[in-house]
Amino acid sequence: MHMPRIKAIGLLAILLICCGIPTARAEIKVGQQFPDLGTFKLEGNLPALSKTNVVLVDFWASWCGPCAQSFPTMQQLNKTYGPRGLIIVAVNEDDQKANMEHFLQYHSVSFCVVRDAMHTLVSQADVSDMPSSFLIDGNGKIAFAHNGFHGSETRQQYQSEIESLLKQAQK
């Protein structure tokens, strides 16, 4: 006896949902709460955060040319604004840890670098461009989002946005 087509499709949908197979991504946007980084199985040590911190979460990969161009800018931002409360968390999405480590040999940084080996955070954030970054205020909300890195234009945007968020955080 054959199951009617509608019942078969319904059963398939139930199986997909019950098995946890994602059917759509939930893109995070400006104004929304950024996911708690501690809930993801990220490789590396996450920094402690407080309400006075502004956080720049940057998604990158070793094969990404613009990512390599962005690292000196992020290093300079860390040096300038870190003492005032900026925390940078660079989230690598390379499949192979060795690729990330090789990249970091040539791009030494003093900010936090973690790896999303399972691509769970990358998937939840719906990162489609490399690099992509989110500036998060002291309440954990996304204040600004950036797709790609465009040299001095992006650096100036970061500086202006970070200054603004740090002033708000210290009120």
Side-chain angles (χ1 to χ4, degrees):
M1 183 169 169
H2 293 284
M3 194 181 317
R5 176 175 261 178
I6 293 173
K7 284 186 182 180
I9 292 172
L11 182 58
L12 179 60
I14 290 169
L15 286 172
L16 288 173
I17 292 167
C18 290
C19 293
I21 298 171
T23 55
R25 290 182 171 187
E27 180 180 358
I28 56 176
K29 298 177 181 168
V30 171
Q32 294 179 338
Q33 201 72 21
F34 194 83
D36 179 359
L37 294 173
T39 62
F40 297 88
K41 293 180 181 179
L42 301 174
E43 295 176 2
N45 296 320
L46 290 169
L49 303 176
S50 73
K51 292 265 185 196
T52 59
N53 291 125
V54 170
V55 181
L56 172 61
V57 177
D58 182 71
F59 293 91
W60 67 281
S62 64
W63 47 261
C64 166
C67 297
Q69 294 171 359
S70 74
F71 263 52
T73 293
M74 288 196 305
Q75 180 64 19
Q76 186 59 45
L77 292 172
N78 189 53
K79 183 178 176 183
T80 303
Y81 298 107
R84 294 179 49 199
L86 174 69
I87 293 179
I88 297 175
V89 178
V91 180
N92 176 266
E93 71 161 71
D94 283 329
D95 290 328
Q96 302 296 318
K97 186 175 184 177
N99 294 339
M100 176 189 80
E101 291 170 342
H102 184 260
F103 178 95
L104 292 173
Q105 286 178 348
Y106 295 96
H107 301 89
S108 180
V109 295
S110 60
F111 51 83
C112 173
V113 177
V114 295
R115 183 169 161 260
D116 186 10
M118 303 300 292
H119 301 276
T120 53
L121 177 58
V122 171
S123 179
Q124 185 166 345
D126 197 19
V127 173
S128 56
D129 295 326
M130 284 288 132
S132 286
S133 60
F134 298 90
L135 268 166
I136 304 162
D137 68 16
N139 295 314
K141 290 195 176 180
I142 300 166
F144 302 96
H146 294 267
N147 290 323
F149 181 76
H150 310 286
S152 62
E153 177 186 338
T154 303
R155 185 182 70 250
Q156 289 170 355
Q157 288 172 340
Y158 280 149
Q159 290 169 330
S160 173
E161 294 163 358
I162 291 167
E163 284 283 349
S164 170
L165 291 172
L166 286 172
K167 286 177 186 173
Q168 290 175 13
Q170 294 170 353
K171 286 183 183 179

